[in-house]
């Protein structure tokens, strides 16, 4: 069983920054994709960013809204991922969820409990 614990959410003014952290435990996740999704009230959960394991190291994918303002990173052990969010906008307010996705014929997803990000205008 894998546990994923997020931290770092909070209240920030528009234009400010936050750094989210996610630490996984229960098994090694070095070769597993880890990243972030978010869900705003009344909206579907949406993709934010992901680190994907390759034999050359981790690649990084972003949704278009996150490309210029957010930076995802991964620790060397592979069991933690971080999301640096800059120039935050009110529309970035959401619950941010950490995701770990184990590849295979039937991919297995693990989720954290979420961390709230509130952006005041």
């Amino acid at each position: 069983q894998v546990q994923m614990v997020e931290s770092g959410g909070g209240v920030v003014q528009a234009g400010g920054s936050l750094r989210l952290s996610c630490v996984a435990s229960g098994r090694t996740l070095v070769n597993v994709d880890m990243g972030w999704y978010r869900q705003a009230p009344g909206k579907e959960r949406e993709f934010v960013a992901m680190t994907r394991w390759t034999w050359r190291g981790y690649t990084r994918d972003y949704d278009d809204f996150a490309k210029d303002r957010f930076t995802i990173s991964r620790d060397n052990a592979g069991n933690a991922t971080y999301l640096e969010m800059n120039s935050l906008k009110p529309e970035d307010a959401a619950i941010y969820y950490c995701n770990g996705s184990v590849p295979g014929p039937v991919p297995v997803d693990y989720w954290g409990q979420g961390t709230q990000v509130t952006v005041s205008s």
Side-chain angles (χ1 to χ4, degrees), residues 28-100:
T28 180
L29 290 174
V30 67
N31 62 337
V32 169
D33 299 345
M34 284 183 67
W36 296 89
Y37 288 72
R38 70 183 187 183
Q39 187 167 19
K43 294 188 176 182
E44 301 271 326
R45 188 173 296 190
E46 64 177 351
F47 172 76
V48 179
M50 184 69 67
T51 60
R52 303 188 190 280
W53 181 85
T54 74
W55 65 273
R56 293 182 179 179
Y58 295 111
T59 64
R60 305 178 188 184
D61 291 333
Y62 298 91
D63 198 278
D64 286 344
F65 71 83
K67 281 180 181 177
D68 297 327
R69 299 183 295 122
F70 295 2
T71 301
I72 190 170
S73 60
R74 188 87 172 254
D75 75 329
N76 290 335
N79 287 343
T81 184
Y82 308 94
L83 186 68
E84 185 76 32
M85 304 186 294
N86 299 311
S87 302
L88 283 163
K89 305 175 182 180
E91 53 263 41
D92 293 318
I95 299 175
Y96 283 69
Y97 295 93
C98 182
N99 168 262

Side-chain angles (χ1 to χ4, degrees), residues 5-9 19-23 36 80-83 98 115:
V5 180
E6 304 101 331
S7 61
R19 185 175 188 258
L20 306 183
S21 300
C22 172
V23 179
W36 296 89
T81 184
Y82 308 94
L83 186 68
C98 182
T115 185

Side-chain angles (χ1 to χ4, degrees), residues 105-118:
V106 181
V108 178
D109 281 313
Y110 297 99
W111 295 93
Q113 81 288 350
T115 185
Q116 178 73 51
V117 171
T118 302

